[in-house]
Each structure stands twice: as structure tokens, then as C-alpha cells.
Amino acid sequence: MAHKGMRYLLVILMGLGLVIGCVLLEALVGKKGQEALEQNDSSKVFEDGEVTKTGQELSKTILYEDEEFVCYEDRVISHFYYKEANTTRIATMVEGILEYCPDLNHVYVVPVPHRILVEEGYEEDKETYQKYMEQLFMQLPEKGILVPTLTVLENHKDEYIFFHTEDAWTARGAYYGTEALCNEMGLEPIPLEQYREYMYTSFRGGLVSKGNMDHIHDEDLEDQTYYYLLPETSNMVEVVGEDNLGNKVTYKKPIITSSARNLGSFIQSIYTRAIVEGDPQDTKNEGKYLLVVCDGAGRLMVPYLKDYYDGVYVINMREDDELYHDFNEIVKEYHISDVLFAQSAMEMGVPGYSRALNDFCEE
């Protein structure tokens, strides 16, 4: 019995030692992280205390190119194209929203640019995009505000603002897009330096298979999931979706899921709506929510937008087909005065990618 009691005592002591060790390690990591944060502005602190540089050098070696894609050693990019009917449809959607709810102040339109527009040597794509933006600007109604983001993105093109294997901007790129939106809205942008930067997972996005690059097994041909959060602010979202039987389900979770991969780290991969808790940093929008109708790229703006409003009501552009029926109810309940329509530029206005807004442009 004495030996058995001694074994129990040893197990307890070992467990206690492990707990103490973990506490000490956590304190050490936190201390190193704080020291790294104070080093310089070109580095930001990960949650685990590591440091990352935001600059990047890109390969100039093209492995493959066709009418849709250009494949480099370390990235795949899409050529930019659009149909003129799409710009007309975008304007009709915005006009439909404003007619359906005339009390709204504005509908802000953010066509999320594509990586090729900040790359060197693709002038034809840039001219096509410029024509696209000019046509959209001319067609939008008076209270429809087009938000150009390309200029600010070009000013930061040496940073990690676009994914290498996914046709979308990164969280850092979305910050600069949000900065442009704030300037249009008359809001003072919160400096990026006030946010804490995190990174957890690496992944390969959908452009790898589309560009026939699956056979390339190189760590350079992958992306990292960085994200940014303002310290001591809310990081919770109520997600609305459906279960396997088609029943409506709601649940709360962090707005950023560090264990998820690619764009699914932001809010959720599959959802219909999401209600994000906000912490407005000034009093201008206290008591108000912003309604955001977006795709996967557009929703990367939401973690920043929550810092300007009491909350953000997010509609999944591709999944929600009930918005037309309860739009005014949402606007009234959440004290919404402005709407943001943010989507990848080449998909914006395409009926198959516009499920949530199709009803607003029907005759």
C-alpha cells in the first residue's frame, strides 16, 4: 500500500510540475512577443511571439500562360475581364435596393480588384479594369457610391496584399480597401499599426488547380492566413446557416477561426448570414449597424468594419435568397443607414454569383 501511495504522490507531483511549466512557458512567450512588438514598425507580432516581415520578392519566371491564367513559380494570377451587361446589372441592383428602402443614405460599392492589376507588365488588363470602373461609375444612381481601392493597393503592392494561390486580397489588402471605404464614408481610418497581426496556417488555394499547377510541390507556391484584430475589442459573431436537413441553425463563435484554412478563417466557410458584434472607436456610428452584402473576398473587410459600428450585419451574397423579403425589417431593427456591396470585381453583377441581390433587379 505504501508503494501504491508513493506512486500516486509522484503522479500528482509530475502533473503539478507540468502545469507550472506551462504557465512559465506561456509567460515567457508573452514577454518575448511584447519585446518583439517594440522592435520596429516593419514587423508585427504573432500570437505565439514569432515575427513576420511584410515585404515580399516575387518570381519573374513564367511556367505557363493562357487566356485566363498566368502561372509563375510562386503564384497564379487571373487575367481581368468582364461583360458590359454586368456593370449595368450592378447599377440596377443598387437602384433596386434604394427604391425598396428609400430611407437609406447610401449604398457603397466595392469591386474587389484582382492581383494582376498591381503586377508589372499587364497594361491591357489594367486598361480593361479602368474601363470597367468608368462604366460602373457612370451607371450608378446618385446615392450609389463607387469606392475605388486600386490606387491605395498599388501604393502597398510590395506588401502581402494578395494571395498567391487564391483569387482574392489578403486581410492586409482588405485593410487598405477598408481604408479607402472609410475615406468615402467620412470616417477616420484606424491606423494599421494599432492592430495586432496573427498567422497560423498555410494553404493552397483554388487557383493552383485552375492553373494546372497541382504537380508543383514547392512551399513557395502556397499562402499563409494572416489576420488582424484591434486589441481589447469584441471578436464574436452569431452565424446563421442550415444543417444537413435544411433546418435553420444559429451559433456563436469567434469572428476569426485560427484553425480554419484560407478564406474560411473569416466568419465561416459556409453560412447564410452573420451578425458581428462591434466596438465603435468613436461616437459617430454608435447605435448603428452596417449592412454588408459580400462574397468571400468582401467579408475580409468585416473584422475592420466592426470597429466603426455597434455591429455588422453580413449577408452571404452567394447563399442568402431571403434578403429581399426581410430587408426593411433588418434595416429597421438594426438601425442601418448605409449598405456595403463588396464582391470580387469579375463576379460582381454575374447572376450566378449574386443570389442575395438578384431579386432587387427583377422587373
Side-chain angles (χ1 to χ4, degrees), residues 273-340:
R273 299 180 179 184
I275 304 171
V276 179
E277 298 177 8
D279 287 295
Q281 301 302 294
D282 58 39
T283 60
K284 182 173 182 177
N285 290 314
E286 281 187 354
K288 292 183 178 181
Y289 274 59
L290 178 68
L291 179 61
V292 177
V293 185
C294 60
D295 66 351
R299 75 169 180 258
L300 267 66
M301 300 174 72
V302 174
Y304 305 111
L305 293 170
K306 73 176 181 60
D307 299 323
Y308 299 91
Y309 291 85
D310 266 11
V312 182
Y313 198 110
V314 184
I315 301 292
N316 187 338
M317 171 67 78
R318 293 192 178 191
E319 298 295 331
D320 193 309
D321 58 1
E322 297 294 329
L323 181 61
Y324 185 83
H325 303 290
D326 57 5
F327 186 88
N328 283 315
E329 181 181 332
I330 295 170
V331 168
K332 183 178 180 180
E333 180 179 353
Y334 290 91
H335 307 287
I336 291 167
S337 58
D338 292 306
V339 174
L340 170 62

Side-chain angles (χ1 to χ4, degrees), residues 14 48 60 75 88 90 133 175 210 219 226 261 292 314 326:
M14 289 174 63
D48 61 2
K60 297 182 180 179
R75 66 199 185 282
T88 301
I90 295 167
M133 292 292 284
Y175 168 81
K210 290 181 180 178
E219 64 180 11
Y226 292 87
R261 298 174 65 83
V292 177
V314 184
D326 57 5

Side-chain angles (χ1 to χ4, degrees), residues 198-217:
Y198 305 92
M199 191 279 281
Y200 278 90
T201 59
S202 299
F203 70 94
R204 282 192 166 197
L207 284 180
V208 172
S209 57
K210 290 181 180 178
N212 298 315
M213 298 285 283
D214 285 316
H215 63 286
I216 304 295
H217 300 288

